Amino acid sequence: MAPTTYSRLIRFLEEELAISAASMSIVFKHREQDPGPLPMILWQYGLVTLKQLEQIYDWLETA
C-alpha cells in the first residue's frame, strides 16, 4: 500500500469509523511483531465489527 493511501486509511479509520488512538496503538504494535493486513488485525482484535471491516475493504477498493 502506498504511503499516501496508508495515511488516508488511518484518517478514515479514526474519523469515519471512530477507531480510538488507543486501539490504533494496539494494531501498530501487533504489526511490528507480525505484519499482516491492517483491516484483518483490527477485526481479529475485536476493534471493528464485521460491518466495519466490510466498510474498510469498500473504502480500499475506491482509494
Side-chain angles (χ1 to χ4, degrees):
M1 181 179 312
T4 55
T5 304
Y6 185 77
S7 297
R8 289 176 44 223
L9 173 61
I10 300 303
R11 197 166 43 250
F12 170 77
L13 294 171
E14 293 175 339
E15 294 174 5
E16 300 295 324
L17 297 184
I19 306 298
S20 70
S23 295
M24 293 306 295
S25 177
I26 291 168
V27 171
F28 295 140
K29 285 180 185 175
H30 176 76
R31 283 191 89 200
E32 289 174 7
Q33 298 169 358
D34 185 19
L38 184 65
M40 289 307 297
I41 295 170
L42 285 163
W43 183 71
Q44 288 173 336
Y45 277 83
L47 302 172
V48 295
T49 64
L50 198 51
K51 181 176 175 148
Q52 289 172 314
L53 182 63
E54 194 174 304
Q55 287 177 289
I56 295 167
Y57 279 113
D58 288 344
W59 184 90
L60 285 169
E61 283 183 17
T62 61

